[in-house]
Amino acid sequence: MEPTVRIAVSSGNKGATLQGEGLHFIHKGGRTSPLPGKVELKLANGGIFAKGLGNIQNGTAVETRLGPIRIGKERYPGRMEIFRDGDRLLLVNEVKMEHYVASVVSSELPASWGLEAKKAQAIAARSYAYMRRAAADRAYDLD
C-alpha cells in the first residue's frame, strides 16, 4: 500500500461546500452514502451537519468516483476527511505521498530549472512530509 500524507486544506470556517462527480460519504465502519454532485457542511449543535444527510461523525470521509473533490475553485485529489475542531470546520485531504511530492515540485520550481534541482526538491519535500507525518499529533500531517 502506497504511503499517504494528510494535509489540512480548510480550517477556521464554520461551513464548506464540497463538489464532485460520484460524491459519497464513507462513514466509520465502512458504510457509504451516495450524494448528489455537492454537499453543504456546517457546524451545528456541537457537531457537523451535512445538508440532506443530517449529523455526521467527526472523521467522516468523502470521496468521488470520478475526478477531484472541489471546494470553491480549488481541486483536491484523494479523499477528504471532515472534523470539528472546536468552533471551526477542519477539512483534511489525504493523498498519496508521490502525488503530494509531484505537486510540490511542480508548484515550487520553475519549469526551466534542471532535472537535478527537481530531484533535490522532491527529496526535500518527501523528507519533510515523512518527518511531519511521524510527529503528527493531530488529524493532519501538513498545513
Side-chain angles (χ1 to χ4, degrees), residues 61-127:
V62 176
E63 290 183 347
T64 63
R65 300 275 187 227
L66 301 166
I69 296 172
R70 298 183 311 276
I71 303 172
K73 294 180 182 181
E74 299 296 325
R75 295 172 181 267
Y76 300 96
R79 77 186 318 177
M80 195 69 65
E81 293 179 352
I82 306 159
F83 297 91
R84 182 180 184 117
D85 185 21
D87 64 349
R88 62 189 185 148
L89 184 66
L90 173 64
L91 302 176
V92 177
N93 185 211
E94 183 176 28
V95 297
K96 293 178 180 176
M97 180 66 75
E98 292 310 310
H99 183 89
Y100 165 76
V101 170
S103 174
V104 168
V105 171
S106 67
S107 68
E108 292 188 0
L109 293 181
S112 61
W113 283 30
L115 181 59
E116 294 305 314
K118 291 176 183 176
K119 287 180 183 178
Q121 181 64 30
I123 290 168
R126 189 178 300 105
S127 298

